[in-house]
C-alpha cells in the first residue's frame, strides 16, 4: 500500500533548519518552535475531493495533511463535528451570515483537544513510547486521559490545582495519574518541560507538540469542506496558547496549496481572550510585537488562562497580517456569551465559547468585524465541563406542589408578566 | 556553594555532558557570562546580538526572571538557574 505519510520532518519556524521526525519541539540552534514539514507536491498528486468525500466523517479523512505513518492508532473516530448555520444568533448579533463550528460535541471528550491528542498519541506509539502526559488547563487533561486509557498507555497529567472540579473528575475517571500543582498553568508547563527533558515521556504539548498542533488543522479543513470547499471571510477563535488560530489559517492555506480549494486564502483571523488573561489580545491592541506575559491570570475562563502563550508571537502576527483583530471580555460578558449562545442556538459551550461569542459581539460593535460578510465562530469545548461558572448566573427553577391549581396560578403569573 | 545552572539535554553536548554547571556571579547575567566563559560553544545557542534568544525562558529557583529583575535578578550561593525552552504548552 502506498504511504499516506507525506510529512518530511520538522522545520524550525525561526531559522528553517530541518530535523528528522523525532520527539523534539524546539530547534537546537536557536530554541525556535518546530513545525511539521510536508511534501505538498506529493500531497497534491495523491488527494482529491472525491477521495476525501468517500471516507468516514472524521478528522482522518484529511490524513494526507496529518503527520502520522499508517493508520491512526489513537482516536480514529475523532472530528467530523457540525458546522451549524446560526441564524438566530446572527439575528441577535445583527449579522447576515454566521456559522458555529461546534467542537463542544467532539468525540470522545467534548472538546477540540481530541483532535490534537489523537495525532500526538498515535505519534507517541510510532515512537514506541509507553508513558504519555501533558500540562493542561482542563480540556487537554480530559482528552489525554481518555485517549491514553483507550490506547493502553500510562498517562501523567499535570494541572493547576485551581481547575474546575468537573475537569479534574473528567480526567481522574479514566485512571490517569493526575497531579494537581499549586501554581499557575505556566508553572505547570515549565515543570512539564523539565520532566519531559529528564524522563523522555511523550508529553503531547511539550516534546510531541509539533505533531500535536497539526491535529488542529482538521478543525479548519472541516469548516472549508462543510462550506462547500471554500473559506469564510472571517473566523473568530479563542486563544490560550495561541496555536489553534494559526492552524485553522494554515489549514485553509494548505487546502489551496494542494488544489482542493481554488480560492486563495484571504480569511481574516480574530482572536478572543478573557480580560483576566489577555496577553495576546493586549499585544494586538497595543501594537506589541511580543506579548507581555500575565503572571497571575484571574478569570472564570480557566481553559484560556495561559499567561505566557507559546504561540503568542505567531498568533498576534497572523491577526495583524490577515487584517483581523483581537479583543478580550470580562467574566460577566463571558457568561452573557454562554447564555446567548445557549438560548439562540441550543448550544451549551464552556466559558471559552462564551468568551468567543462575547468577543464577536464586541468586535461587531467596534466595527472591526463587518455585519454583512461571512463569519465562523469557533466553539472548542462543552459547557457541561464548566458549570461552576454558571450556578449563580442561572435562575433556579420555579417550584410548585403537584397541584393543577398551583400550575394554573403559575401560568396566570406568567400571563400577567 | 556556587550558583548552579541547569542545562537542557540538547545543549549538554556543549557542556561536556554536564547536567548542571557550577558558576559564579551575583546576577543572572553574570552567571550566564561565566557559563559561556567555561563553555564558549554554548554562547551562540543562548544569545543573539547580546540578548537571550526569545524562545528561552530563565528561572531562578523556579521563578521566571521576567517577574523578578530579569537579567539583573540576584543570584547567590545555592541558587539554581534553569534554562528552559519556551516552546511548550497550549
Amino acid at each position: 500500500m502506498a504511504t499516506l505519510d507525506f510529512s518530511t520532518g520538522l522545520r524550525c519556524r525561526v531559522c528553517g533548519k530541518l530535523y528528522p521526525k523525532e520527539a523534539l519541539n524546539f530547534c537546537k540552534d536557536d530554541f525556535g518552535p518546530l513545525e511539521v514539514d510536508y511534501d505538498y507536491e506529493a500531497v497534491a498528486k495523491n488527494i482529491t475531493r472525491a477521495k476525501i468525500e468517500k471516507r468516514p466523517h472524521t478528522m482522518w479523512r484529511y490524513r494526507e495533511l496529518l503527520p502520522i505513518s499508517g493508520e491512526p492508532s489513537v482516536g480514529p473516530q475523532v472530528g467530523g463535528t457540525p458546522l451549524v448555520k446560526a441564524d438566530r444568533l446572527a439575528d441577535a448579533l445583527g449579522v447576515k451570515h454566521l456559522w458555529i463550528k461546534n467542537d463542544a460535541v467532539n468525540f470522545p471528550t467534548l472538546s477540540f483537544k481530541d483532535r490534537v491528542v489523537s495525532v500526538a498519541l498515535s505519534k507517541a506509539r510510532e515512537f514506541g513510547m509507553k508513558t504519555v502526559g501533558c500540562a493542561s488547563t482542563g480540556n487537554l487533561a480530559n482528552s489525554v486521559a481518555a485517549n491514553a486509557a483507550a490506547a493502553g498507555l500510562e498517562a501523567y497529567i499535570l494541572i493547576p490545582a485551581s481547575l474546575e472540579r468537573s475537569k479534574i473528575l473528567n480526567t481522574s475517571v479514566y485512571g490517569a495519574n493526575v497531579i494537581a500543582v499549586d501554581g499557575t498553568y505556566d508553572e505547570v508547563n515549565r515543570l512539564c518541560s523539565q520532566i519531559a527533558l529528564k524522563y523522555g515521556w511523550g508529553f503531547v504539548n511539550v516534546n510531541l507538540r509539533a505533531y500535536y498542533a497539526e491535529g488542529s488543522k482538521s478543525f479548519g479543513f472541516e469548516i472549508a469542506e462543510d462550506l462547500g470547499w471554500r473559506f469564510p471571510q472571517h473566523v473568530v477563535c479563542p486563544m490560550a496558547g495561541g496555536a489553534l488560530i494559526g492552524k485553522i489559517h494554515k489549514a485553509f492555506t494548505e487546502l489551496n496549496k494542494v488544489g482542493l480549494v481554488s480560492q486563495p486564502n484571504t480569511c481574516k483571523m480574530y482572536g478572543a481572550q478573557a480580560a483576566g488573561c489577555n496577553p495576546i489580545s493586549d499585544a494586538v491592541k497595543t501594537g506589541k510585537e511580543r506579548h507581555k506575559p500575565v503572571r497571575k491570570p484571574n478569570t472564570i475562563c480557566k481553559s484560556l488562562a495561559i499567561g505566557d502563550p507559546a504561540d503568542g508571537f505567531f498568533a498576534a502576527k497572523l491577526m495583524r497580517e490577515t487584517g483581523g483583530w483581537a479583543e478580550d471580555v470580562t467574566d460577566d460578558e463571558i457568561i452573557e456569551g454562554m447564555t446567548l449562545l445557549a438560548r439562540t442556538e441550543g448550544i451549551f459551550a464552556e466559558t471559552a465559547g462564551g468568551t468567543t461569542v462575547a468577543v464577536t459581539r464586541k468586535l461587531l460593535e467596534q466595527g472591526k468585524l463587518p455585519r454583512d460578510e461571512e463569519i465562523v465562530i469557533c466553539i472548542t469545548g462543552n459547557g457541561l465541563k464548566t458549570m461552576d461558572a454558571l450556578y449563580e448566573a442561572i435562575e433556579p427553577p420555579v417550584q410548585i406542589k403537584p397541584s393543577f391549581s398551583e400550575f394554573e396560578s403559575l401560568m396566570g403569573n406568567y400571563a400577567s408578566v | 556553594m556556587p550558583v548552579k545552572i541547569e542545562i537542557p539535554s540538547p545543549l549538554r553536548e556543549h557542556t561536556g555532558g554536564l547536567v548542571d554547571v557550577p558558576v559564579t556571579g551575583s546576577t543572572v547575567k553574570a552567571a550566564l557570562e561565566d557559563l559561556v566563559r567555561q563553555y564558549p560553544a554554548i554562547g551562540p545557542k543562548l544569545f543573539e546580538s547580546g540578548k537571550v534568544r526569545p524562545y528561552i525562558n530563565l528561572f531562578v529557583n523556579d521563578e521566571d526572571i521576567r517577574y523578578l529583575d530579569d537579567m539583573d535578578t540576584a543570584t547567590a550561593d545555592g541558587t539554581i538557574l534553569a534554562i528552559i525552552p519556551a516552546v511548550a504548552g497550549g
Side-chain angles (χ1 to χ4, degrees):
Chain A
M1 192 178 111
T3 180
L4 293 175
D5 184 4
F6 295 97
S7 63
T8 54
L10 302 174
R11 190 177 292 283
C12 175
R13 293 182 78 178
V14 176
C15 71
K17 183 173 176 176
L18 191 63
Y19 290 83
K21 297 172 203 172
E22 58 182 314
L24 183 68
N25 55 319
F26 60 91
C27 175
K28 293 176 186 177
D29 284 349
D30 55 23
F31 287 75
L34 299 184
E35 185 169 42
V36 177
D37 204 51
Y38 297 87
D39 180 350
Y40 289 111
E41 281 185 22
V43 173
K45 284 180 193 151
N46 281 276
I47 199 170
T48 62
R49 289 184 188 178
K51 196 186 240 185
I52 290 169
E53 286 164 359
K54 277 186 199 144
R55 293 174 178 166
H57 276 277
T58 73
M59 64 181 275
W60 296 104
R61 68 206 254 120
Y62 316 100
R63 52 183 302 172
E64 285 85 352
L65 290 164
L66 295 169
I68 66 157
S69 302
E71 294 295 321
S73 65
V74 181
Q77 292 162 306
V78 173
T81 60
L83 183 72
V84 178
K85 186 78 168 54
D87 291 339
R88 279 175 45 77
L89 180 60
D91 285 346
L93 293 176
V95 300
K96 279 192 179 163
H97 313 287
L98 184 69
W99 288 263
I100 301 289
K101 174 61 177 170
N102 186 14
D103 260 18
V105 291
N106 201 12
F107 177 85
T109 65
L110 308 179
S111 88
F112 90 103
K113 289 295 186 183
D114 291 321
R115 298 176 185 273
V116 287
V117 168
S118 61
V119 175
L121 295 191
S122 291
K123 209 70 199 169
R125 281 181 135 182
E126 280 179 33
F127 290 140
M129 293 164 159
K130 306 284 185 211
T131 304
V132 296
C134 66
S136 175
T137 57
N139 283 321
L140 181 59
N142 300 168
S143 185
V144 170
N147 285 295
L153 295 163
E154 182 156 29
Y156 284 84
I157 313 277
L158 285 87
I159 53 171
S162 60
L163 276 195
E164 299 95 336
R165 284 176 303 168
S166 60
K167 284 205 171 141
I168 298 175
L169 179 74
N170 272 300
T171 308
S172 304
V173 71
Y174 299 109
N177 302 290
V178 183
I179 301 168
V181 178
D182 184 15
T184 63
Y185 173 80
D186 293 308
E187 290 171 309
V188 175
N189 195 33
R190 186 254 306 151
L191 185 56
C192 286
S193 285
Q194 291 173 300
I195 296 168
L197 284 167
K198 171 128 191 197
Y199 286 70
W201 294 342
F203 271 81
V204 299
N205 53 354
V206 184
N207 50 350
L208 295 172
R209 190 172 191 272
Y211 309 100
Y212 156 94
E214 287 293 285
S216 289
K217 291 190 308 191
S218 62
F219 195 98
F221 296 148
E222 290 176 11
I223 290 172
E225 185 183 349
D226 287 348
L227 284 175
W229 294 109
R230 62 189 184 85
F231 310 130
Q233 289 158 295
H234 311 272
V235 168
V236 190
C237 179
M239 300 185 296
L244 175 64
I245 189 169
K247 293 299 180 181
I248 293 171
H249 189 263
K250 183 183 178 188
F252 295 164
T253 301
E254 286 185 344
L255 290 178
N256 173 262
K257 194 181 275 190
V258 302
L260 288 169
V261 176
S262 55
Q263 168 196 4
N265 176 15
T266 55
C267 182
K268 295 181 180 179
M269 305 301 293
Y270 302 79
Q273 295 206 292
C277 185
N278 63 348
I280 310 177
S281 60
D282 172 69
V284 171
K285 290 193 292 180
T286 59
K288 291 188 191 80
E289 189 185 15
R290 291 195 179 272
H291 66 266
K292 184 169 180 282
V294 173
R295 185 181 191 181
K296 300 280 182 199
N298 181 18
T299 170
I300 56 167
C301 188
K302 296 178 192 295
S303 61
L304 301 184
I306 296 182
D308 189 14
D311 279 295
F313 168 76
F314 293 107
K317 184 166 177 272
L318 176 72
M319 287 180 273
R320 280 193 294 268
E321 288 178 354
T322 60
W325 196 246
E327 256 306 345
D328 43 79
V329 285
T330 64
D331 286 355
D332 285 344
E333 290 172 312
I334 291 169
I335 289 170
E336 284 170 23
M338 291 171 79
T339 50
L340 178 64
L341 179 62
R343 290 167 189 191
T344 53
E345 296 298 332
I347 293 172
F348 187 16
E350 66 160 18
T351 45
T355 303
T356 311
V357 170
V359 162
T360 303
R361 179 155 69 182
K362 199 166 178 177
L363 291 168
L364 288 163
E365 286 165 359
Q366 292 171 347
K368 298 279 187 193
L369 258 178
R371 294 182 181 275
D372 56 351
E373 296 186 4
E374 294 185 333
I375 302 167
V376 172
I377 295 177
C378 303
I379 297 299
T380 52
N382 196 297
L384 294 170
K385 298 187 187 196
T386 59
M387 291 199 293
D388 291 0
L390 283 184
Y391 282 121
E392 284 180 20
I394 302 291
E395 288 281 320
V398 175
Q399 196 166 342
I400 60 170
K401 291 195 172 62
S403 141
F404 189 66
S405 64
E406 278 211 22
F407 176 76
E408 288 220 301
S409 139
L410 183 66
M411 288 298 101
N413 288 342
Y414 283 144
S416 66
V417 171
Chain B
M1 198 164 60
V3 175
K4 195 165 78 175
I5 300 188
E6 290 182 359
I7 309 295
S9 45
L11 291 187
R12 288 179 199 153
E13 61 185 278
H14 306 297
T15 60
L18 283 181
V19 176
D20 306 311
V21 175
V23 299
T24 56
S26 59
T27 62
V28 169
K29 187 168 184 285
L32 289 173
E33 281 170 358
D34 190 38
L35 173 70
V36 174
R37 203 158 28 243
Q38 294 182 51
Y39 300 100
I42 208 169
K45 308 289 179 188
L46 296 179
F47 295 98
E48 183 182 25
S49 309
K51 285 188 166 178
V52 174
R53 289 183 179 277
Y55 293 101
I56 294 173
N57 287 338
L58 297 168
F59 296 84
V60 165
N61 295 334
D62 291 337
E63 185 64 80
D64 191 324
I65 65 164
R66 288 174 294 177
Y67 304 131
L68 302 170
D69 293 323
D70 221 319
M71 294 294 277
D72 296 326
T73 301
T75 52
D77 280 359
T79 294
I80 295 173
L81 171 57
I83 301 169
I84 312 243
V87 183

